[in-house]
Amino acid sequence: MRGFPFFITFLLAFNFSYGQCGSSFIVLSSQEDVNSFSVNYPDCTNPHYLYISGSDIVDLNPLSQLEQIKIDLRIESNPLLESLTGLENISLGNNNTRGILYIRNNPSLISLDGLLGISCISNVGMDDIKIENNASLISISALSSINVIVYFVEINNNQILTSINAIQDFSEIKSLIVKNNSQLETLPNIPFDEYMYNVEIIGNPQLQSLIGLEAITKITQRIYINNNDLLANIDPLSGVLDGNTVVEGSSLLIEINDNELLTDISGIANINPLEIESLSIIDNPNLSTCNVISVCNHIQNNGTAQISNNTVGCNSVEEVFVKCSTTFNAVVGNVQFDNNQDGCDETDFKAPNRLIDVSNSTETRQTLTNEDGRYRLFVPWLGAVNVSVNEEALTENFSSDPSGVVINFDDFGSYSENDFCISATQVFNDLNTVLFPLDNARPGFDTEYNLSFANAGTTVLNGQITLKFNSERQSFLNAIPEEEGIEGNFITFQFQDLLPFEERSILIVFNTLPPPINESDDILIFTAEVKPLDNDFTPEDNTYILEQIIINSQDPNDKLVAQGTTIEPQEVGLYLEYVIRFQNVGTASAINVRVEDELSANLQKNTLKIISSSHPFSLEIENQNKLIFSFNNIDLPPEMSDPEGSNGFVAFKIKSNNNLEIGDKIVNTASIYFDFNAPIITNTVVTEIAIPPSDEVSFSGVINLHPVPIKDFLQISSSNGITYLRCEIFGTSERKVLETSKKTIDFSSLAAGVYFVKVFTNKGNFTKKVIKQ
């Protein structure tokens, strides 16, 4: 909800109906509108939106019939209004939406006491409270009656406000911005031990301390401590990010600028340097000590930093680094992959993005190797320090030499270089591929797909990927990179020099043909296969089958699962591929986008793997099952100005629990946040363990194929008057590989992978997908 004046213009142009307010937008733009409220809206007690903005409004008592504002209450730009008396009876929000409260640009308003009775009845809290530009405001104590989560709180430009303690009664705050309050002396006590998005304390010349922020343990987007003239230290932030939890990517912006008396920034020492995207320490004339461990390691890892115009010792990045080198000990080194099994040397591959553990007897810190396979980390310890490649970063069949090293530091200022050589316990090929849609398939429209493939083995591989599609339902338009060839229903792509640990993606665009060729609920079937298959360590993941249901009208913000609404019992414990898509359908660019996905209890949380995304992101895992994808500074344009660029996605795969049975369901829903707006809730994706709803259902319990997955032999049995006649076995390319009338079928000569068994009986036939291990 950006741009109040634009929104007011729109609302005033809206053709309102009088009487019951229903879902009305009610705008009161004069004292006459306020006085006539009970006449114009005699039965209105609970409008969705109420906007009070008028140059002559002085008295809100005629609004005493109001009991509830369901979504949005804004009291803005009322130059004569001194009191909010008349609103004592209202509650804000409802059970399903977050409330919004804006009190802005009211220069005569003295207090918020007219809201003393305000409460919030929303189950999901409030989205936004802004108290801004109220020159005469001396108290906001009335807000203490709000005791729910308030996601974004801004207290800005209130020139004589001395206390904002009322907001400490909120049950939780995700973003706190306190800016340009000339007389503010203290901050409220924020009693949280959870994460926040932003803490911005800017331009409060009487503020002497950040006391009140001690309980905050994580800040994910911004820490801005700027232009606070009397602030000497930032110690209360010392709990932020303590524990050095590594997330993928980085997103935290830190600014500590223009603080006249600041001498100490050790309050940010515990922040994980891997989560710092950029750092600014500028124009603090009494600050000479910037060599705290988080700053040192951010610089050590070549992170973005601006350090200038402080005092000697903190006047440049170079000065700070020199002091870091004498204050702490440094562990550095290279990580390589031994591709020729003769020990690592300069001819072997670099190993980027490998997680390195550095620990003493009580604490572990971590860093990642850069694109050249090099790691660097300062540590604030003496004595024995252990360095190793993180075990979880070494996938199956890989080991590290050495497995770890112990360094003994006698004094600070020491430097120790230790290299690690990753080698395979065996030489093997291992390719895999995944295909997922970036759009829903709609008749008459173009649809994009992401075809990803990766080398999880130990050898450099050349090969090809084939994608089979239905050319009667879709027309192939283009691919990036371009295809090698297309023949009938098959598109072929070649790849060269795919290194171990490397993943590549192909963007493919089809047009889904219009009705009557395609109608809602028709199914598109794709088969992707990456080769070579010979001697592949896990051949079952060289082939990927996507079944996509055609729909018509769609919400552009949704969640998809590539396996569809059902999986068969033999697929339990295998990967499910999810795609969460988002589109900015607003009127302005979205600076930040956040996707939250609470995983089903029927998924194995520790098997999560990221497949791909449209934009860089950071990933946080909360309570082991809530995924938080943060696309910070994405600047996603609105659909109206850039239809294609307004879209984004993130795709991941995760295994279902091994003990699921027929009838069990895997249920997932995601929430998508665009900047500070209320979340968009996606559709709920349900995948049920079931026998496919086809002609096979009539054979349920009377024709059985077992065991599944298959190792060497498949047994077919029949009962209840159904006579088995014969079967045909097809590979994923639809090439028949076997035909027999035997009930015991020898699969031992067939390569591992996906097959289709077509069973013929005296009552008809059906086809079943099976997996050969």
Side-chain angles (χ1 to χ4, degrees), residues 714-718 722-725 740-745:
L714 174 68
Q715 181 74 38
I716 299 177
S717 60
S718 61
I722 302 296
T723 302
Y724 166 75
L725 301 176
T740 181
S741 59
K742 295 180 179 179
K743 290 187 176 182
T744 300
I745 304 166

Side-chain angles (χ1 to χ4, degrees), residues 559 667-669 682-686:
K559 184 172 182 179
V667 181
N668 274 100
T669 304
T682 69
N683 56 298
T684 298
V685 175
V686 180

Side-chain angles (χ1 to χ4, degrees), residues 712-714 716 724 726-731 734-742 744-750 755-758 760:
D712 293 316
F713 294 93
L714 174 68
I716 299 177
Y724 166 75
R726 63 186 177 88
C727 74
E728 297 175 350
I729 314 296
F730 297 86
E734 294 193 356
R735 180 175 63 87
K736 186 189 298 184
V737 297
L738 186 63
E739 181 174 357
T740 181
S741 59
K742 295 180 179 179
T744 300
I745 304 166
D746 186 358
F747 270 73
S748 60
S749 62
L750 299 179
Y755 293 89
F756 295 90
V757 180
K758 187 172 184 179
F760 296 82

Side-chain angles (χ1 to χ4, degrees), residues 633-651:
N633 299 311
I634 187 175
D635 200 19
L636 195 70
E639 181 187 21
M640 64 175 63
S641 62
D642 187 353
E644 183 175 348
S646 65
N647 293 277
F649 73 90
V650 61

Side-chain angles (χ1 to χ4, degrees), residues 153 420 631:
V153 177
F420 294 91
F631 296 83

Side-chain angles (χ1 to χ4, degrees), residues 354-358 364-368 387-395 400 403 420 422:
R354 298 297 97 187
L355 193 61
I356 305 298
D357 291 340
V358 184
T364 297
R365 293 176 181 258
Q366 297 175 314
T367 188
L368 288 169
V387 184
S388 63
V389 180
N390 180 272
E391 289 186 3
E392 294 182 3
L394 292 174
T395 54
S400 170
S403 58
F420 294 91
I422 296 176

Side-chain angles (χ1 to χ4, degrees), residues 16 364 576:
F16 296 113
T364 297
L576 298 172

Side-chain angles (χ1 to χ4, degrees), residues 466-529:
T466 58
L467 177 63
K468 182 186 177 186
F469 70 103
N470 189 334
S471 59
E472 295 180 357
R473 291 186 176 275
Q474 287 186 307
S475 296
F476 170 70
L477 298 180
N478 57 72
I480 303 174
E482 290 186 1
E483 70 281 4
E484 180 72 18
I486 179 169
E487 182 176 350
N489 291 341
F490 292 87
I491 309 171
T492 304
F493 302 89
Q494 301 289 341
F495 61 88
Q496 300 288 327
D497 298 326
L498 187 67
L499 302 178
F501 312 124
E502 184 180 4
E503 179 178 314
R504 300 179 190 173
S505 293
I506 302 169
L507 177 68
I508 304 174
V509 185
F510 292 97
N511 178 264
T512 304
L513 300 176
I517 297 174
N518 290 306
E519 303 283 359
S520 292
D521 297 327
D522 289 344
I523 296 177
L524 300 170
I525 299 178
F526 303 84
T527 303
E529 187 173 62

